Amino acid sequence: MKFYKDHYDVIIIGGALAGMSAALQLQAKGVKDILILEKHNLPGGLATDYVRNGFEIEATLHEMMSIGTKDHRLKVGQFFDDMGVDIDWLPVPECYRVALPNSGIDKILHEGYERAAREIDEVVPGTFGKVHELLLLCRRVYDSMNILSVTPMSKVQMLLKHPDFVKTVGYSATEVIDTFGLPKKAVEMLTPYWIYVGNRMDDLPFTIYAFLMADYFTGSYVCRGYSHEMSMKLQRKVEENGAQFEFKQEVEKILVKDGKVTGVRTKRGDEIAADYVISGAYPNKVYTQMIEPLSEVPEGAVKYINGLPLSVVPVSVMMVMEGTPEENGIVNYSTFSGETMDTNEIWANYANLTEPYNYITTICLNYANPACVPEGYTQLSITALVPSKPFEDVAEEEYYDLKRRLAEEMIESCIRITKVDFRPRITEVEVSTPMTIAHYVGAWKGNIYGFLHSVSNHAVARLGMKTEDHFIEGLEFACACGMSGNGMGPAVTNGRAAAKGVLEAMEKKEAAK
């Protein structure tokens, strides 16, 4: 019996969240003949965990967006429910703590637009009204983006039905926030989430900032069984629905003839025919290395990827420590801390490897999932999201010393906030860099955040360019470089968007018969 069939309707390269979400969306519309090829031995890509000496440690997930409560699901949570993927969601207890000793700020903000505005007002009296209105504006833009992503409409209709979206779409987060006349301290408290999309507030589109703020301040979640629970349940469901899911099968080439996809070739030499291919690999890798023959890559595709800078990459220190979080000086789930909240200053600091990072995010999983470690232990991660460029010139013989130094500096930065030196209590520690990401999942330059969001390239601009960005017929992308950008929630949305592209092409082909 042959390992693969002679032909598939759709081949999906990569069994990460986006690829599996694409499969589920296709299956929901009646497409059953799907092959998923995953180079790793587990599904989910970076949505995973690992075990060290009996401790199960979350590898990546800080917070899952767009889930919602059981009674009021948001779009990602609703998608999982509709697809029959039952995930045990645990609510995150707060949005974040912002700890900026140099600014005299140390405050925890919670979900709920009014509540968060009142909490900021406690630190900066007299700001409640303006902060509340800013957060409500974020919510209106968020609602508009969700509608416009699935409902085409004319410019006149957009102006009439979505005036706040239209008014703010061409401006940066800084430009819109400045119109509220808020004191610097209040703006600093409203700034921390910028790092999750990896661009300075001066360059970050307000629409992206608004989406983040509205979504996160509605409430976020983690999986009781770590992000690996989500990955395993998605895999099980796509296989129950009839997809063929194969592990340890790396795709080396996407076969193209006369501008149209014809199939793929695996690393072991299998050539598999298909009408459509959905790639979890970035366009950067696909258009420079994977298309066969390379002569089938249009000049416009190369210009496209050269014109889009990559977003940030993670440097993370993941630890298990003896003692409870409180004993280790950790009093909450999510903390953004550092020497400054000037994102231009942070960006300049991140652009080199000679200075300690001046801004970090810290997650203590115990506060969302008390059973994440045995009683009496703490699971903590420290992360900086930085440009990839500085790592490109790191010599192999320098790498491990650099990795250890970065970890030590980030731990010291965390200790300045906890005021407890927990280093002697560290039981397990792993350090992840862009090289780690590239090694384990093959991500282009270790990047997991797609293309940099900017005023000229963000979700709205990408939606408008969707048709122009299709250079090879039958090829779609389901990864962080997609329209919705980075993050596990957006990965689901990007996967669904890729499936939508395939379905539209199928309908067009059928209509032409």
Side-chain angles (χ1 to χ4, degrees):
M1 178 182 292
K2 293 173 63 175
F3 192 69
Y4 296 111
K5 295 193 295 185
D6 290 333
H7 179 274
Y8 294 86
D9 288 337
V10 184
I11 293 176
I12 298 174
I13 302 172
L17 294 188
M20 291 191 288
S21 297
L24 287 173
Q25 186 71 53
L26 290 168
Q27 289 168 334
K29 298 298 183 180
V31 181
K32 304 298 183 185
D33 193 17
I34 300 170
L35 171 65
I36 302 175
L37 297 170
E38 168 58 48
K39 66 176 291 185
H40 199 17
N41 62 344
L42 292 169
L46 289 163
T48 190
D49 60 44
Y50 57 91
V51 176
R52 293 291 183 272
N53 291 323
F55 295 103
E56 190 170 2
I57 302 172
E58 171 61 53
T60 51
L61 179 62
H62 287 180
E63 300 167 51
M64 192 74 178
M65 298 167 61
S66 300
I67 300 301
T69 64
K70 285 186 177 180
D71 298 328
H72 189 259
R73 286 294 194 212
L74 300 178
K75 65 177 183 179
V76 174
Q78 189 62 56
F79 174 71
F80 285 135
D81 288 353
D82 291 345
M83 297 298 107
V85 180
D86 183 19
I87 296 168
D88 193 356
W89 298 111
L90 298 173
V92 171
E94 80 251 2
C95 291
Y96 55 79
R97 172 188 176 192
V98 54
L100 301 170
N102 293 346
S103 297
I105 298 172
D106 193 339
K107 184 69 173 177
I108 297 176
L109 302 184
H110 296 84
E111 68 182 71
Y113 308 138
E114 182 176 341
R115 182 180 181 183
R118 293 200 183 282
E119 289 168 339
I120 292 174
D121 190 71
E122 291 169 5
V123 180
V124 192
T127 59
F128 168 77
K130 291 181 178 180
V131 171
H132 190 220
E133 179 51 37
L134 172 58
L135 293 176
L136 291 178
L137 171 63
C138 289
R139 179 62 195 217
R140 294 194 293 273
V141 171
Y142 169 88
D143 289 337
S144 292
M145 287 182 71
N146 278 329
I147 292 170
L148 293 169
S149 66
V150 296
T151 308
M153 60 181 66
S154 68
K155 292 180 180 179
V156 173
Q157 288 175 313
M158 287 174 63
L159 184 59
L160 291 174
K161 296 182 179 181
H162 304 279
D164 291 309
F165 172 82
V166 174
K167 289 176 185 176
T168 59
V169 71
Y171 296 94
S172 71
T174 296
E175 289 173 318
V176 175
I177 293 171
D178 280 351
T179 66
F180 286 81
L182 289 164
K184 179 183 176 184
K185 211 169 187 178
V187 174
E188 288 180 324
M189 296 179 72
L190 289 161
T191 298
Y193 278 144
W194 77 277
I195 196 62
Y196 282 161
V197 285
N199 206 347
R200 297 158 290 185
M201 293 288 280
D202 289 354
D203 297 320
L204 180 65
F206 179 75
T207 48
I208 302 302
Y209 171 85
F211 198 93
L212 280 175
M213 294 294 283
D215 212 351
Y216 277 122
F217 277 91
T218 302
S220 300
Y221 294 80
V222 294
C223 311
R224 186 182 299 276
Y226 311 84
S227 55
H228 188 59
E229 174 193 357
M230 182 165 46
S231 301
M232 293 297 290
K233 287 182 174 178
L234 284 167
Q235 180 219 342
R236 187 179 307 140
K237 182 55 66 173
V238 297
E239 288 190 305
E240 286 176 3
N241 291 347
Q244 183 180 348
F245 202 128
E246 300 296 344
F247 295 100
K248 304 292 285 183
Q249 298 299 312
E250 182 175 355
V251 174
E252 282 198 332
K253 299 295 179 182
I254 298 172
L255 308 178
V256 178
K257 185 176 181 181
D258 298 329
K260 186 182 185 309
V261 162
T262 62
V264 303
R265 182 187 302 123
T266 68
K267 190 172 183 178
R268 75 174 198 172
D270 297 295
E271 289 200 5
I272 313 164
D275 295 326
Y276 302 92
V277 169
I278 295 177
S279 173
Y282 277 27
N284 308 64
K285 183 175 182 179
V286 169
Y287 291 136
T288 60
Q289 299 177 18
M290 293 180 67
I291 299 297
E292 185 169 288
L294 277 176
S295 59
E296 288 283 357
V297 179
E299 183 180 347
V302 178
K303 289 182 178 179
Y304 168 72
I305 58 175
N306 287 339
L308 295 174
L310 292 173
S311 189
V312 292
V313 295
V315 178
S316 295
V317 184
M318 295 156 281
M319 296 172 286
V320 173
M321 300 177 289
E322 293 179 345
T324 64
E326 293 82 359
E327 290 170 339
N328 288 307
I330 303 160
V331 298
N332 66 294
Y333 176 79
S334 173
T335 302
F336 295 98
S337 62
E339 300 172 9
T340 180
M341 193 56 79
D342 182 329
T343 58
N344 292 312
E345 189 176 328
I346 296 168
W347 196 254
N349 166 259
Y350 278 174
N352 70 82
L353 291 172
T354 58
E355 304 170 6
Y357 294 140
N358 62 6
Y359 182 71
I360 57 172
T361 176
T362 307
I363 298 292
C364 180
L365 190 57
N366 297 55
Y367 284 105
N369 185 1
C372 68
V373 283
E375 188 175 351
Y377 285 86
T378 299
Q379 183 171 156
L380 184 74
S381 69
I382 311 170
T383 300
L385 294 164
V386 302
S388 62
K389 185 66 176 174
F391 287 91
E392 294 175 11
D393 299 323
V394 174
E396 184 177 353
E397 59 271 18
E398 300 171 347
Y399 174 65
Y400 290 103
D401 287 341
L402 171 66
K403 189 170 162 176
R404 280 189 286 269
R405 177 174 66 78
L406 291 174
E408 289 168 0
E409 291 171 350
M410 292 167 73
I411 290 171
E412 287 174 4
S413 180
C414 181
I415 289 171
R416 285 196 288 272
I417 300 300
T418 65
K419 297 181 172 57
V420 173
D421 188 351
F422 51 71
R423 283 173 291 195
R425 298 182 176 185
I426 296 174
T427 303
E428 295 294 330
V429 60
E430 290 285 348
V431 184
S432 171
T433 70
M435 289 77 156
T436 313
I437 304 298
H439 174 70
Y440 281 102
V441 300
W444 181 258
K445 296 187 178 182
N447 186 282
I448 63 171
Y449 274 72
F451 296 130
L452 194 68
H453 284 287
S454 66
V455 175
S456 61
N457 178 47
H458 54 90
V460 181
R462 292 174 190 180
L463 180 62
M465 290 291 292
K466 184 178 177 182
T467 303
E468 289 83 349
D469 292 348
H470 280 63
F471 298 101
I472 294 175
E473 186 180 345
L475 176 62
E476 297 282 343
F477 289 92
C479 51
C481 66
M483 185 185 72
S484 295
N486 57 277
M488 292 194 183
V492 173
T493 303
N494 284 332
R496 297 180 66 187
K500 185 172 183 285
V502 169
L503 291 167
E504 288 173 350
M506 286 180 168
E507 290 173 4
K508 186 177 179 181
K509 184 177 179 181
E510 188 64 29
K513 286 183 179 179

